[in-house]
Amino acid sequence: MTPEYVFSADRFAERIGLISEALPGIPLVYSMKANPFLLHCLPEKIDMVEVCSPGELAICENLSVPGEKILYSGVVKGSEDSLRAVKLGAKYLTAESKNQFEIVKKAAEETGIRADILLRLSSGNQFGMSREDLLSIIETERDSSSVRIAGIHLFSGTSKRKLKAIEKDLNLLREILSEAEEKFAFKADIVEYGPGLGVNYFEKTTAESEEAERAALEEAAAYLCEFAKEYPLSIEMGRFMAAPCGYYETRVADIKTTDGVNYCMLDGGIHQLNYYGQNMAMKIPVIEQMPARAEFEKKTYCLCGSLCTTADVVVREVELNEVQIGDVLRFERTGAYSVTEAPALFLSRALPEVYIEAGGEKKLVRERIQAFEINS
């Protein structure tokens, strides 16, 4: 029943294999905020899962993700969830500030479990801490009995297209690690870095496009592998790992022409479908029409969703074979963020079913949820 999301376990495993091949010997971390449902089919080549909220921590507990695979991150950690993460045996917890460091330290002291902490470095925004604070913590806490400063965490943004941005990040890490070693004899066990590689959402997957994406990965990998020779690097990704690994299907519920515009009304919409950089619905994602109706003439449509707002325009102008009510449109490359980032509760439309597909078979992992029950 549409709308629905389908996420491919096979494609996810292939994707992780591609990244692992480009970054041999470098541990891979999956940032689960990109798509928590892919934890149902987490490949063995994923060394850790980055968890950024108490809710994500609960998902890991529900799906029996072992503590030693959890990196507990997030900007507003509380005492309670930090305590849970420490008790669960999280491999690392990040500290975004001096205050967060104290929260995690207190949780470790309460449990008697020594916690390994990664100090998150700010890249000039609200995330992480200043260079001065980071070095201050290393200086004053490096001999703590309740916590161990295991390394540094840096993520400076998503969908990077220029390698200069990655080179700049790595040089900053080199500077700080060198300073920490020189001043405090500190050596990191791990440098957790998110390169934020870009994903092309609006190009059909072909041998040429896949080769271009592989080439971009390998270009970035040259910088990352060089850094990994100097420091113990791990790579965190979400969007780049997950984006190609799913699709979203929505059914044509109505068709009409108003003032010369052909409107195709869908049973889904922007509350369930969200592409990074979509730019007011002007860009056209990869869409498969089912049935294809190749014998029909082509027409230009404005694809709109089921919400009572003029903002619910999925694609402003796209050419399709003449559409009929009941046709299904499949939107590709929705493996990252759409399922959680779109405003799903707006107007109390039901949250779609979610399936994991493996070996050609679909398994239901979330039933349809009535939003009106949540909203009332």
Side-chain angles (χ1 to χ4, degrees):
M1 182 188 297
T2 59
E4 67 179 29
Y5 299 99
V6 180
F7 302 120
S8 171
D10 299 333
R11 186 75 178 102
F12 192 39
E14 285 173 17
R15 190 72 170 177
I16 301 306
L18 173 72
I19 296 165
S20 180
E21 186 180 317
L23 300 169
I26 297 178
L28 299 180
V29 182
Y30 175 56
S31 184
M32 69 175 281
K33 61 181 174 286
N35 187 339
F37 292 98
L38 288 174
L39 293 190
H40 284 273
C41 54
L42 201 63
E44 286 185 11
K45 288 181 179 178
I46 293 292
D47 293 85
M48 283 188 292
V49 175
E50 188 208 25
V51 177
C52 287
S53 73
E56 288 192 343
L57 189 61
I59 291 170
C60 288
E61 290 177 288
N62 289 346
L63 296 180
S64 300
V65 176
E68 62 268 20
K69 288 184 80 78
I70 292 175
L71 188 166
Y72 189 50
S73 190
V75 293
V76 186
K77 291 182 194 67
S79 302
E80 211 171 290
D81 51 293
S82 295
L83 200 62
R84 278 174 56 213
V86 171
K87 285 179 177 178
L88 192 61
K91 187 170 180 116
Y92 300 110
L93 289 87
T94 66
E96 295 261 344
S97 64
K98 285 187 169 183
N99 177 59
Q100 276 205 357
F101 184 89
E102 291 302 324
I103 288 172
V104 176
K105 185 178 178 181
K106 186 178 177 183
E109 289 168 349
E110 280 188 38
T111 59
I113 301 170
R114 196 177 191 200
D116 283 0
I117 297 182
L118 302 183
L119 304 179
R120 182 167 182 181
L121 177 66
S122 175
S123 59
N125 50 38
Q126 74 268 40
F127 304 111
M129 67 182 80
S130 69
R131 178 178 185 151
E132 293 74 24
D133 282 354
L134 185 147
L135 291 170
S136 171
I137 292 174
I138 291 175
E139 180 182 14
T140 58
E141 299 287 348
R142 64 188 186 278
D143 296 322
S144 171
S145 59
S146 55
V147 296
R148 186 175 71 95
I149 302 169
I152 296 176
H153 180 207
L154 176 65
F155 177 78
S156 63
T158 190
S159 284
K160 293 191 183 83
R161 298 289 180 183
K162 295 181 180 177
L163 291 175
K164 283 289 182 188
I166 293 174
E167 185 180 22
K168 182 181 175 184
D169 286 346
L170 296 177
N171 284 336
L172 174 61
L173 286 167
R174 283 185 178 99
E175 280 179 27
I176 291 174
L177 289 161
S178 176
E179 185 176 354
E181 184 173 358
E182 184 182 323
K183 288 183 176 178
F184 315 119
F186 171 79
K187 289 190 176 183
D189 288 347
I190 179 172
V191 180
E192 167 76 5
Y193 175 60
L197 295 181
V199 173
N200 190 341
Y201 286 106
F202 308 106
E203 183 179 332
K204 193 171 179 64
T205 301
T206 62
E208 290 77 13
S209 70
E210 289 199 332
E211 184 53 42
E213 198 165 60
R214 183 190 292 268
L217 171 62
E218 287 175 353
E219 275 189 88
Y223 288 90
L224 299 170
C225 290
E226 189 62 35
F227 184 92
K229 292 175 186 176
E230 305 168 54
Y231 298 100
L233 181 67
S234 68
I235 293 297
E236 166 206 322
M237 293 180 178
R239 188 184 304 276
F240 192 80
M241 286 179 174
C245 305
Y247 58 86
Y248 168 79
E249 290 185 347
T250 177
R251 196 172 298 275
V252 177
D254 200 3
I255 303 166
K256 57 189 174 184
T257 302
T258 306
D259 297 331
V261 178
N262 298 319
Y263 289 99
C264 181
M265 310 300 295
L266 308 172
D267 64 0
I270 61 167
H271 56 310
Q272 296 165 359
L273 186 64
N274 182 63
Y275 286 100
Y276 183 88
Q278 195 165 0
N279 194 20
M280 302 296 289
M282 299 301 288
K283 291 187 178 181
I284 303 171
V286 179
I287 305 170
E288 182 181 348
Q289 183 180 350
M290 298 177 290
R293 302 193 182 280
E295 71 278 11
F296 284 35
E297 67 173 301
K298 288 191 175 293
K299 286 189 174 183
T300 299
Y301 293 93
C302 178
L303 305 183
C304 299
S306 57
L307 304 180
C308 295
T309 168
T310 55
D312 195 4
V313 179
V314 176
V315 179
R316 201 159 293 282
E317 196 173 286
V318 61
E319 192 176 71
L320 299 170
N321 296 323
E322 187 175 341
V323 173
Q324 304 289 304
I325 291 174
D327 286 359
V328 171
L329 299 184
R330 174 180 290 182
F331 290 80
E332 300 286 351
R333 291 187 164 241
T334 57
Y337 290 105
S338 270
V339 69
T340 52
E341 198 174 62
L345 297 180
F346 186 49
L347 277 165
S348 298
R349 290 279 181 180
L351 278 66
E353 293 170 346
V354 177
Y355 293 87
I356 295 292
E357 189 173 62
E361 294 186 6
K362 285 165 60 176
K363 176 186 174 185
L364 181 68
V365 294
R366 185 184 78 185
E367 295 183 349
R368 191 168 301 270
I369 297 172
Q370 293 300 331
F372 74 83
E373 295 178 354
I374 301 172
N375 287 348
S376 57

